[in-house]
Amino acid sequence: MLNKRNGIPTNMGMDHIGLVVPDAQLAADFLIDVFNAEFDWEVKREPKPTAGERGWSALFGVHPESYLSHVIMLKCGEQPLTQYVELFEWKAPDQVQLQGERGWHKFSDIGNSYISFTVKDMDAVFKHIHTNVIPKYKGVRFIQDPPMRFPLRGEICTSTFLVSPWGMWIELTAWSESQHKGTVIQAQRKPEISPYISKPIQALPTPAFMIDLDIVDHNCKLLRSRIVDKGYTWRIPCKAHKCPKLAKYILQRGATGIVVLTLTEAERFAEEGINDIYLANQVGSLDELNRLSLLAKKLKYLRVAVDNGEYLQQLAMSIRQWEIITPIEVLVELNINHNRCGATIEEGVNLAVLAKKIEEETQTIKFMGITGYEGHTPIMPPAEKAQETAISHDILAQAKKLIEKSGIPVEIVSAGGSCNYIDAVNNKIVTEIQAGGAAIGDQLYYHKAHLKDYEHLMGAYLLTQIISVPSDKSRAIANAGFKSIGLHPMGGLPGFRDRDDLQVVGLSAEHTRIISANGVKGVSLGRGDKLVLIPGYTDAMGFLHKEIFAIRHDKVEYVWKTV
């Protein structure tokens, strides 16, 4: 027997297998549908350049006029780095026509291959395939029905082969003992049900981040009627809550896509199935540019903001390197008096021209329009805010006019936010409004941004508990400090949802200091009492929590994870 220790160093196991198939899309659809494989990435290529022109003919030994038309990578399990299947679709004049079933290898052919999946319940698998798979996919059948059973590795192995739509055999195996050591893949596991579902909020551990769904529904109805119903696109920033499930909830109520501010957020939201993402920020390193480019392989729409030519060219080079088939959408970001990121009008026009040139030459990006952020306006008095928003939007209007004068269409003008979306609609310059916080509501949006004047309500809460009350009742101390409710200079201290007789006068790391309001002496609170706080600004709170309790009528309806 060979000494196993003499193999290649640092070997971590098999990464993936590669299969050349006649139709990569059909093969991928079948594996995703039948085996819950997960799409990882894909590349599509035109007939030109050919393998010969790419230098692949000599490298891979293929016909000079052949080309690799489609490559799809799938993940067929949950082990890190392993269990991938890569599907190749070649077009070649000298491609061999095989003699097996449906043009595939005969089982005895040299070079034939198959893949195998392990299942827990073979009887359930047979029933499912007979009922749902064989009627759907032409040519699919079992080789052995019923399956074979034989002793192997000290236990009983049950095995059969399934003929795929393209003729390749796929083995299914079940093990009498080893099956108890593993679990079914995530896609088929029963979802974990939180013990807090349907419980009253008073049963929750504290501090607990809560979202009132009735209020979110109410606020979303307002936003949809004032934005979407008037012909504008509504896109939701998710930086305040960082919760994919909450984002999906709001998307179902009229929003089109999401806005994130970090690449990691974009990656995590994509993993949760959101496929229209705008990264309204720029990344710094080449490694991050590569991650951003690869993310485009997994999304239907990926959009980024750019404010300088070097970044734009580096982005295009990275996309081209990874052969992304869906161009990344680009918005040129303008400084509209917030003095953060953003180009001048002249620089913005030049960037648009450069972006269009790169688009036409490489098809790596697609220039879609312009964007800007009025971050200096949120808590201005209403009249001043309206005036400053109009000035900011006039910068966008000037840039749009000059870009279009250069012969470049500007499809999207993205700006506005929760605090000034009414003004943005009235100005009639933007085409897309970024309003996320207004769908949830907190003290800043309700009071300081004056959304109470437009019927919005506050739906972001923090449940806290009284842990100390001195004998003179001069104050009460709750277990929610700025490490759980946040503290932002624009938002200020939290308030109470339903206790007008109380006032928060201070936050430390883990504690909230509460006194009586309106000059009343002594607090009517005792140890163990639970109170609902309304945060000053959810942006300063959401990232502090790993889960959100979505409530309705003060009962927990969902428990959602944050990223």
Side-chain angles (χ1 to χ4, degrees):
M1 181 179 292
L2 294 176
N3 188 336
K4 295 181 180 179
R5 292 175 296 177
N6 291 337
I8 61 172
T10 72
N11 184 7
M12 297 175 68
M14 182 181 292
D15 180 89
H16 73 281
I17 61 171
L19 300 171
V20 179
V21 295
D23 186 332
Q25 192 61 62
L26 172 64
D29 290 344
F30 182 76
L31 292 173
I32 290 170
D33 184 23
V34 179
F35 296 97
N36 291 113
E38 296 180 9
F39 174 81
D40 189 54
W41 56 261
E42 69 177 329
V43 173
K44 289 182 179 178
R45 296 189 181 94
E46 298 297 326
K48 294 288 186 177
T50 64
E53 292 166 339
R54 288 178 179 268
W56 289 0
S57 181
L59 183 65
F60 297 136
V62 297
H63 193 284
E65 295 302 314
S66 65
Y67 68 99
L68 186 56
S69 63
H70 202 176
V71 183
I72 303 176
M73 182 72 86
L74 302 177
K75 179 73 167 153
C76 296
E78 295 174 13
Q79 296 299 321
L81 302 180
T82 64
Q83 299 178 311
Y84 286 89
V85 172
E86 190 170 11
L87 303 168
F88 298 90
E89 181 181 333
W90 278 94
K91 305 296 184 186
D94 61 346
Q95 200 163 46
V96 175
Q97 182 63 44
L98 301 171
Q99 302 303 310
E101 185 172 352
R102 304 185 67 79
W104 193 253
H105 291 275
K106 290 185 291 186
F107 199 48
S108 58
D109 283 349
I110 294 174
N112 181 38
S113 59
Y114 66 85
I115 56 177
S116 179
F117 290 87
T118 298
V119 301
K120 269 183 171 282
D121 186 341
M122 189 66 81
D123 291 337
V125 169
F126 262 70
K127 182 178 179 181
H128 175 83
I129 289 176
H130 275 298
T131 303
N132 301 303
V133 178
I134 291 176
K136 183 176 180 180
Y137 293 94
K138 183 179 179 181
V140 172
R141 64 182 179 86
F142 283 112
I143 296 294
Q144 297 132 319
D145 188 358
M148 296 188 300
R149 288 179 171 83
F150 48 89
L152 189 66
R153 303 177 193 162
E155 54 185 303
I156 300 300
C157 176
T158 303
S159 171
T160 188
F161 284 95
L162 185 71
V163 179
S164 70
W166 62 97
M168 188 184 80
W169 292 13
I170 299 175
E171 187 181 21
L172 299 166
T173 60
W175 299 88
S176 59
E177 304 300 326
S178 300
Q179 64 171 309
H180 303 300
K181 299 177 182 179
T183 59
V184 298
I185 62 173
Q186 182 69 40
Q188 293 189 359
R189 290 178 204 161
K190 293 181 179 179
E192 294 182 11
I193 299 176
S194 169
Y196 298 109
I197 298 294
S198 300
K199 296 289 181 63
I201 63 172
Q202 294 296 321
L204 294 177
T206 57
F209 180 12
M210 305 185 299
I211 294 288
D212 190 314
L213 295 179
D214 282 334
I215 290 179
V216 173
D217 291 346
H218 168 83
N219 290 339
C220 285
K221 186 176 180 180
L222 295 177
L223 289 162
R224 185 177 64 248
S225 66
R226 294 166 180 170
I227 298 174
V228 180
D229 292 352
K230 292 186 177 180
Y232 299 90
T233 300
W234 171 28
R235 188 173 285 269
I236 52 168
C238 299
K239 59 188 176 68
H241 55 78
K242 296 180 182 286
C243 178
K245 290 290 179 63
L246 178 55
K248 289 180 179 180
Y249 187 89
I250 298 173
L251 287 170
Q252 291 168 355
R253 282 150 182 78
T256 296
I258 70 167
V259 183
V260 295
L261 271 297
T262 72
L263 177 56
T264 299
E265 286 175 8
E267 291 169 333
R268 297 293 297 278
F269 275 79
E271 289 171 4
E272 295 296 324
I274 293 178
N275 63 9
D276 186 346
I277 297 177
Y278 172 27
L279 176 58
N281 206 351
Q282 301 180 75
V283 300
S285 68
L286 292 177
D287 176 66
E288 289 174 315
L289 279 170
N290 287 334
R291 285 168 53 197
L292 178 61
S293 299
L294 291 170
L295 179 61
K297 288 189 172 186
K298 300 184 178 183
L299 296 176
K300 187 175 182 180
Y301 301 107
L302 176 60
R303 182 195 296 175
V304 298
V306 300
D307 71 356
N308 73 82
E310 181 184 12
Y311 177 71
L312 181 60
Q313 290 173 323
Q314 288 177 341
L315 175 63
M317 287 176 61
S318 179
I319 298 168
R320 192 169 191 177
Q321 170 189 344
W322 296 107
E323 298 187 288
I324 310 301
I325 64 171
T326 303
I328 293 180
E329 297 181 352
V330 166
L331 295 185
V332 170
E333 183 170 4
L334 293 149
N335 178 10
I336 54 175
N337 292 336
H338 185 44
N339 296 325
R340 196 176 64 179
C341 296
T344 65
I345 293 175
E346 181 181 358
E347 291 168 339
V349 174
N350 292 335
L351 272 173
V353 172
L354 176 61
K356 195 65 180 177
K357 182 174 183 288
I358 293 173
E359 175 187 340
E360 292 172 348
E361 291 179 353
T362 69
Q363 291 80 52
T364 54
I365 63 171
K366 184 176 182 181
F367 173 74
M368 296 298 294
I370 56 178
T371 186
Y373 178 50
E374 320 89 319
H376 56 298
T377 68
I379 59 174
M380 288 178 173
E384 184 181 353
K385 177 164 58 177
Q387 182 180 12
E388 287 298 321
T389 298
I391 293 171
S392 294
H393 287 188
D394 185 59
I395 296 173
L396 294 170
Q398 292 179 57
K400 179 177 184 289
K401 183 178 180 180
L402 290 171
I403 293 169
E404 291 182 333
K405 190 176 179 180
S406 301
I408 302 171
V410 177
E411 295 182 32
I412 296 171
V413 180
S414 183
S418 292
C419 297
N420 68 341
Y421 81 91
I422 297 290
D423 299 319
V425 169
N426 291 338
N427 290 339
K428 295 182 171 59
I429 292 171
V430 304
T431 64
E432 176 181 88
I433 293 173
Q434 303 173 28
I440 299 170
D442 55 33
Q443 300 253 69
L444 182 147
Y445 292 113
Y446 187 75
H447 293 291
K448 296 186 177 182
H450 306 282
L451 290 189
K452 63 182 178 182
D453 299 335
Y454 298 96
E455 304 174 78
H456 280 264
L457 300 174
M458 295 182 285
Y461 305 142
L462 188 84
L463 184 71
T464 187
Q465 187 169 26
I466 301 301
I467 58 173
S468 176
V469 182
S471 57
D472 63 0
K473 298 276 187 175
S474 60
R475 66 189 182 279
I477 305 301
N479 65 345
F482 61 72
K483 287 165 66 175
S484 59
I485 200 164
L487 184 61
H488 191 280
M490 286 202 307
L493 294 170
F496 291 92
R497 184 187 68 171
D498 36 30
R499 290 295 299 266
D500 293 337
D501 60 318
L502 301 174
Q503 178 183 356
V504 173
V505 292
L507 292 174
S508 57
E510 285 88 13
H511 302 101
T512 301
R513 189 153 57 96
I514 301 167
I515 64 171
S516 291
N518 306 320
V520 178
K521 186 176 180 180
V523 292
S524 55
L525 291 169
R527 287 188 69 255
D529 288 349
K530 290 185 176 180
L531 303 169
V532 178
L533 295 173
I534 301 175
Y537 189 26
T538 315
D539 277 41
M541 183 182 84
F543 70 94
L544 300 170
H545 296 266
K546 294 181 179 180
E547 59 188 5
I548 295 174
F549 296 93
I551 66 171
R552 204 183 297 274
H553 307 304
D554 276 4
K555 286 190 175 181
V556 178
E557 192 163 305
Y558 305 106
V559 180
W560 291 330
K561 300 295 183 182
T562 60
V563 300

